[in-house]
């Protein structure tokens, strides 16, 4: 055994939901984010993309790294 090895990993995921011991604050954080986005959309109007999504180059997951968007009341999916 190498004395400089970090030893076994405790978990294999960096997300709160996939770890063996679920983060106690994950549910509250989700509720807070939903409330934040709901309030932003109510105040700022609709939202739509204003550019092309940039995907993260990864062998482990398929996620969006950047997605430009704009808010505004004149958007087709926003309040009038």
């Amino acid at each position: 055994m190498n004395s400089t090895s970090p030893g076994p990993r405790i978990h294999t995921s960096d997300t709160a939901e996939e770890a063996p011991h679920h983060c106690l604050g994950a549910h509250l954080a989700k509720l807070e984010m939903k409330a934040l986005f709901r309030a932003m959309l109510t105040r700022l109007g609709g939202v739509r993309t204003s550019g092309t999504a940039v995907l993260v180059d990864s062998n482990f997951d398929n996620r969006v790294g950047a997605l430009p968007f704009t808010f505004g009341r004149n958007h087709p999916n926003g309040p009038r």
Side-chain angles (χ1 to χ4, degrees):
M1 176 156 170
N2 185 352
S3 63
T4 61
S5 68
R9 280 188 58 123
I10 300 301
H11 62 86
T12 59
S13 173
D14 292 329
T15 63
E17 292 181 354
E18 295 176 7
H21 299 96
H22 187 73
C23 175
L24 293 175
H27 185 67
L28 177 60
K30 284 182 184 180
L31 289 173
E32 289 174 340
M33 291 304 292
K34 285 180 184 179
L36 170 73
F37 286 117
R38 191 173 295 123
M40 283 177 50
L41 288 173
T42 300
R43 288 179 178 254
L44 299 175
V47 61
R48 72 173 172 189
T49 60
S50 61
T52 308
V54 178
L55 299 177
V56 173
D57 187 24
S58 172
N59 292 330
F60 300 106
D61 59 3
N62 185 21
R63 60 188 155 113
V64 176
L67 178 62
F69 60 92
T70 59
F71 290 101
R73 297 204 177 275
N74 296 327
H75 291 225
N77 58 346
R80 306 265 179 238

